[in-house]
CSV table of all heavy atoms in Angstrom, one decimal:
chain,number,residue,atom,x,y,z
T,10,ALA,N,-9.9,8.7,-4.0
T,10,ALA,CA,-11.0,8.2,-3.2
T,10,ALA,C,-12.3,8.2,-4.1
T,10,ALA,O,-13.1,7.2,-4.1
T,10,ALA,CB,-11.3,9.1,-2.0
T,11,ILE,N,-12.5,9.2,-4.9
T,11,ILE,CA,-13.6,9.3,-5.8
T,11,ILE,C,-13.6,8.2,-6.8
T,11,ILE,O,-14.6,7.5,-7.1
T,11,ILE,CB,-13.7,10.7,-6.5
T,11,ILE,CG1,-14.1,11.7,-5.4
T,11,ILE,CG2,-14.7,10.7,-7.6
T,11,ILE,CD1,-14.0,13.2,-5.9
T,12,ALA,N,-12.4,7.9,-7.4
T,12,ALA,CA,-12.3,6.9,-8.4
T,12,ALA,C,-12.6,5.5,-7.8
T,12,ALA,O,-13.3,4.7,-8.4
T,12,ALA,CB,-10.9,6.9,-9.0
T,13,PHE,N,-12.1,5.3,-6.5
T,13,PHE,CA,-12.4,4.0,-5.8
T,13,PHE,C,-13.9,3.9,-5.6
T,13,PHE,O,-14.4,2.8,-5.9
T,13,PHE,CB,-11.6,4.0,-4.5
T,13,PHE,CG,-12.0,2.8,-3.7
T,13,PHE,CD1,-11.4,1.6,-3.9
T,13,PHE,CD2,-13.0,2.9,-2.7
T,13,PHE,CE1,-11.8,0.5,-3.1
T,13,PHE,CE2,-13.4,1.8,-2.0
T,13,PHE,CZ,-12.8,0.6,-2.2
T,14,LEU,N,-14.5,4.9,-5.0
T,14,LEU,CA,-15.9,4.8,-4.7
T,14,LEU,C,-16.8,4.6,-6.0
T,14,LEU,O,-17.6,3.7,-6.0
T,14,LEU,CB,-16.4,6.1,-4.0
T,14,LEU,CG,-15.8,6.3,-2.6
T,14,LEU,CD1,-15.9,7.7,-2.1
T,14,LEU,CD2,-16.3,5.3,-1.6
T,15,ALA,N,-16.5,5.3,-7.0
T,15,ALA,CA,-17.3,5.2,-8.3
T,15,ALA,C,-17.1,3.8,-8.8
T,15,ALA,O,-18.0,3.2,-9.4
T,15,ALA,CB,-16.8,6.3,-9.3
T,16,GLY,N,-15.9,3.2,-8.7
T,16,GLY,CA,-15.6,1.9,-9.2
T,16,GLY,C,-16.2,0.8,-8.4
T,16,GLY,O,-16.1,-0.4,-8.8
T,17,HIS,N,-16.7,1.1,-7.2
T,17,HIS,CA,-17.2,0.1,-6.3
T,17,HIS,C,-18.7,0.3,-6.0
T,17,HIS,O,-19.2,-0.1,-4.9
T,17,HIS,CB,-16.4,0.0,-5.0
T,17,HIS,CG,-15.0,-0.6,-5.2
T,17,HIS,ND1,-14.0,0.1,-5.7
T,17,HIS,CD2,-14.6,-1.9,-5.1
T,17,HIS,CE1,-12.9,-0.7,-5.8
T,17,HIS,NE2,-13.3,-1.9,-5.4
T,18,GLY,N,-19.4,1.0,-6.9
T,18,GLY,CA,-20.8,1.1,-6.8
T,18,GLY,C,-21.4,2.2,-6.0
T,18,GLY,O,-22.6,2.3,-5.8
T,19,PHE,N,-20.6,3.1,-5.5
T,19,PHE,CA,-21.1,4.3,-4.8
T,19,PHE,C,-21.6,5.3,-5.8
T,19,PHE,O,-20.9,5.5,-6.9
T,19,PHE,CB,-20.1,4.9,-3.9
T,19,PHE,CG,-19.7,4.0,-2.7
T,19,PHE,CD1,-18.8,3.0,-2.8
T,19,PHE,CD2,-20.3,4.2,-1.5
T,19,PHE,CE1,-18.5,2.1,-1.8
T,19,PHE,CE2,-20.0,3.4,-0.4
T,19,PHE,CZ,-19.1,2.4,-0.5
T,20,ALA,N,-22.7,6.0,-5.6
T,20,ALA,CA,-23.2,7.0,-6.5
T,20,ALA,C,-22.8,8.4,-6.2
T,20,ALA,O,-22.8,8.9,-5.1
T,20,ALA,CB,-24.7,6.9,-6.5
T,21,GLY,N,-22.3,9.1,-7.2
T,21,GLY,CA,-21.9,10.5,-7.1
T,21,GLY,C,-23.1,11.4,-7.3
T,21,GLY,O,-24.2,10.9,-7.5
Side-chain angles (χ1 to χ4, degrees):
I11 290 170
F13 173 85
L14 293 165
H17 287 84
F19 291 80

